[in-house]
Amino acid sequence: MEVEENLPYEEFKRKYPDESRYLQPCITGLNILISKKFYYFGSNAIDLPKNLKHIIIHGRGCKCITDDDINKLMKYLERRYRCGKRGTE
């Protein structure tokens, strides 16, 4: 995902009223990341090459990865896929 905007929830709600309708009110106070360039595979998850498998998170959580890994992943995805949604949850 290439983040274009990082807005507090209330500002996002004012700026994008239609898009904010699906969000839960409990996220008030948190920021919303906005992107038009993203890859979502959902149930159609892809296999990554061996040199990128270490960035996978199994289950919930987060992970710090290097800028080099981000660049490798972006090049890999851009060569093979168009941005957007590819699968379902």
Side-chain angles (χ1 to χ4, degrees), residues 45-74:
I46 62 170
D47 279 331
L48 291 178
K50 286 182 183 181
N51 69 330
L52 288 171
K53 288 203 181 271
H54 66 278
I55 69 172
I56 296 172
I57 299 171
H58 300 281
R60 294 181 181 184
C62 61
K63 183 180 253 187
C64 291
I65 59 175
T66 66
D67 287 344
D68 186 48
D69 286 334
I70 293 169
N71 291 331
K72 286 178 189 174
L73 177 61
M74 289 307 299

